[in-house]
Amino acid sequence: MDAETLRQYLEYYQDLGIKTLYRRGPAAKAEEAGHGERWPAPQEPLFRILEDIGDCHRCRLHEQRTKIVFGVGNEQSKLVFVGEGPGADEDAQGIPFVGRAGQLLTQMIEGTAKKEGIPLLRKDVYICNVVKCRPPENRTPQPDEMEICGQFLSRQLLAIAPKAICALGSTAAKFLTQSKEGVTRMRGNWYKWHDIPVMVTYHPSYLLRAYNVGPKREAWEDLKKVLHFVYD
Ligand code: SF4
């Protein structure tokens, strides 16, 4: 790769808000030997990103994880849901949103779609998280962990190029919109991640804990908005 192409790649990732880039072992060696690309190309396939993650030790979250939780669903989906990070069930299975909160998310997607006359199942959308390894005790990911791992989410979103993104909870909302507002104020409103509209709503695990029906009703309203925007 010549210096000009490299400069363009670096500018491109800087525009995405990615400040830290890592050399991949085998690919970097191949490039040094004159084969292959040092930097992943924009619009790369998802499997390339997964390959690049590898047995990732880039942040401290690798220490207690069982499985990396990359993402699941339709890679050509017009809608991507982004949560915070894996919990215990997700860590064990390597699949996002499979525990109680995940079951609620499935119900929300499929129930709302059915009610609104939109033929949509969970498998038709794409679901992933800001960080790919479970934070200990389900704590909130720290800013440096979000920055390091967030490069993979950014690349996933670019690869899928959905019509809209639904941010579930404050960690995903903050990462995608850079807003410092709380999720209660942000929910139900449209923001942008680059040119892609982002709808913010509550994380399903919050809805499981919520004592009154208000947030649940609001989350259903938010979902209705995003489903109609994407599928009408
Ligand atoms: S959270 Fe992300 S950056 Fe950190 S170790 Fe896991 S995959 Fe790597």
Side-chain angles (χ1 to χ4, degrees):
M1 183 185 292
D2 63 26
E4 176 55 22
T5 315
L6 178 58
R7 187 188 63 73
Q8 285 173 9
Y9 270 101
L10 290 172
E11 273 181 14
Y12 162 78
Y13 282 110
Q14 203 168 36
D15 288 347
L16 286 177
I18 296 169
K19 298 183 194 119
T20 318
L21 287 165
Y22 297 88
R23 295 192 67 152
R24 290 170 291 162
K29 283 190 192 110
E31 196 249 347
E32 276 158 13
H35 318 292
E37 292 290 324
R38 177 172 171 183
W39 307 102
Q43 298 288 313
E44 65 201 323
L46 287 179
F47 76 85
R48 281 286 299 274
I49 305 167
L50 188 58
E51 271 176 11
D52 199 10
I53 292 180
D55 180 25
C56 188
H57 283 48
R58 293 173 178 92
C59 84
R60 67 183 79 76
L61 292 182
H62 80 275
E63 289 164 8
Q64 294 184 43
R65 75 157 182 250
T66 308
K67 287 189 173 162
I68 289 175
V69 181
F70 181 64
V72 73
N74 175 5
E75 301 186 2
Q76 271 101 44
S77 178
K78 290 197 266 180
L79 178 58
V80 175
F81 288 86
V82 179
E84 177 176 302
D89 294 311
E90 291 76 16
D91 177 60
Q93 295 185 44
I95 303 168
F97 284 93
V98 287
R100 282 182 65 222
Q103 287 161 21
L104 178 59
L105 179 65
T106 306
Q107 275 175 27
M108 288 170 68
I109 295 168
E110 298 191 354
T112 311
K114 195 171 173 197
K115 227 167 148 188
E116 298 300 307
I118 299 165
L120 186 77
L121 298 174
R122 170 181 160 133
K123 67 174 178 51
D124 301 322
V125 302
Y126 193 83
I127 303 173
C128 56
N129 286 305
V130 176
V131 295
K132 312 298 185 209
C133 300
R134 183 191 182 198
E137 312 299 327
N138 293 341
R139 66 162 169 75
T140 305
Q142 292 173 2
D144 62 326
E145 296 159 354
M146 286 167 60
E147 186 184 322
I148 295 168
C149 201
Q151 66 169 307
F152 300 120
L153 172 62
S154 298
R155 286 165 58 187
Q156 279 171 298
L157 293 172
L158 281 176
I160 298 168
K163 187 169 172 189
I165 301 166
C166 185
L168 302 165
S170 67
T171 298
K174 281 189 184 126
F175 179 83
L176 292 166
T177 69
Q178 305 296 312
S179 170
K180 294 193 178 7
E181 294 266 34
V183 74
T184 315
R185 289 180 81 95
M186 293 177 77
R187 64 138 291 270
N189 295 313
W190 288 107
Y191 295 82
K192 283 229 163 146
W193 181 81
H194 300 279
D195 283 339
I196 304 177
V198 177
M199 168 60 63
V200 174
T201 193
Y202 298 111
H203 193 285
S205 61
Y206 169 73
L207 298 175
L208 288 172
R209 294 195 308 265
Y211 294 111
N212 57 45
V213 294
K216 291 195 182 87
R217 190 178 38 74
E218 289 170 341
W220 257 271
E221 288 302 317
D222 302 341
L223 205 51
K224 241 161 60 178
K225 241 190 240 184
V226 78
L227 290 182
H228 281 296
F229 174 80
V230 173
Y231 295 102
D232 278 357

